[in-house]
Amino acid sequence: MSRIAVVPGSFDPVTLGHIDVIARAADLYDTLHVVVVHNPNKSALIPVEQRVMLIEKAIHAAGLPNNIVVASWSEGLLVDYCTQVGAKVVIKGIRNQADVTYETPMALVNRNLAGIETLFMLPEPGHAYVSSSLVRQVAALGGDVRPYVPHVVAEHLDAHAG
Ligand code: PNS
């Protein structure tokens, strides 16, 4: 049986912490879907299709294996995407207690809705303080985001600064 997992998120933008989790998850599953989910509660910096493209380029640049599919999902529940692609597992990176508090209700709802289990994964501690919102704030104020994001993302943010 093929083992398929999903790493969902806003990825606005994808960070080095995300890439670290994606790399570790891709090692554990036959196919890993990285899914950019449109979150109507968050105002976005980067359009969804560009977020997908940046993740694809970052994955390629990092030399990650070719069992990773990058997609977007705006049709509704994440569990519907999981069911559609045959995934029974969602993987989320956990940096701290606040992430556990934020992720736990979503994980339980996803399990109640469709029996999708969520596995929490620890990223490399060096990335533990990095978040997309921090990157957006540093970029908006003209700071250097290169320590926190893949090269292609830093270039994209530079090109769209202003
Ligand atoms: O990176 P984020 O913003 O923390 O990711 C949250 C995300 C997009 C994974 C979550 O909001 C989500 O799964 N949204 C899809 C809608 C859904 O399925 N909601 C019900 C269960 S949370």
Side-chain angles (χ1 to χ4, degrees), residues 8-11 37 39 42 76-78 92 102-103 106 109-110:
S10 300
F11 300 111
V37 181
N39 185 345
K42 287 186 181 175
L77 292 172
L78 176 67
K92 294 292 300 231
Y102 172 69
E103 296 291 347
M106 294 196 278
V109 165
N110 287 338

Side-chain angles (χ1 to χ4, degrees), residues 106-120:
M106 294 196 278
L108 291 173
V109 165
N110 287 338
R111 188 161 72 189
N112 289 341
L113 284 168
I116 304 291
E117 298 289 355
T118 298
L119 303 185
F120 290 161

Side-chain angles (χ1 to χ4, degrees), residues 17-64:
H18 292 132
I19 295 295
D20 180 66
V21 168
I22 291 166
R24 292 172 196 285
D27 249 11
L28 298 174
Y29 289 86
D30 297 315
T31 305
L32 183 73
H33 291 254
V34 178
V35 185
V36 178
V37 181
H38 172 65
N39 185 345
N41 298 325
K42 287 186 181 175
S43 63
L45 174 68
I46 304 173
V48 167
E49 289 319 312
Q50 286 182 28
R51 286 182 243 164
V52 168
M53 179 268 294
L54 289 170
I55 296 168
E56 282 170 344
K57 285 187 174 173
I59 284 171
H60 182 75
L64 300 194

Side-chain angles (χ1 to χ4, degrees), residues 97-150:
Q97 191 58 43
D99 279 350
V100 176
T101 304
Y102 172 69
E103 296 291 347
T104 299
M106 294 196 278
L108 291 173
V109 165
N110 287 338
R111 188 161 72 189
N112 289 341
L113 284 168
I116 304 291
E117 298 289 355
T118 298
L119 303 185
F120 290 161
M121 180 175 275
L122 299 178
E124 178 62 29
H127 299 309
Y129 64 98
V130 179
S131 68
S132 296
S133 60
L134 180 146
V135 168
R136 288 197 300 274
Q137 195 175 113
V138 172
L141 298 173
D144 183 6
V145 296
R146 283 175 299 178
Y148 316 121
V149 294

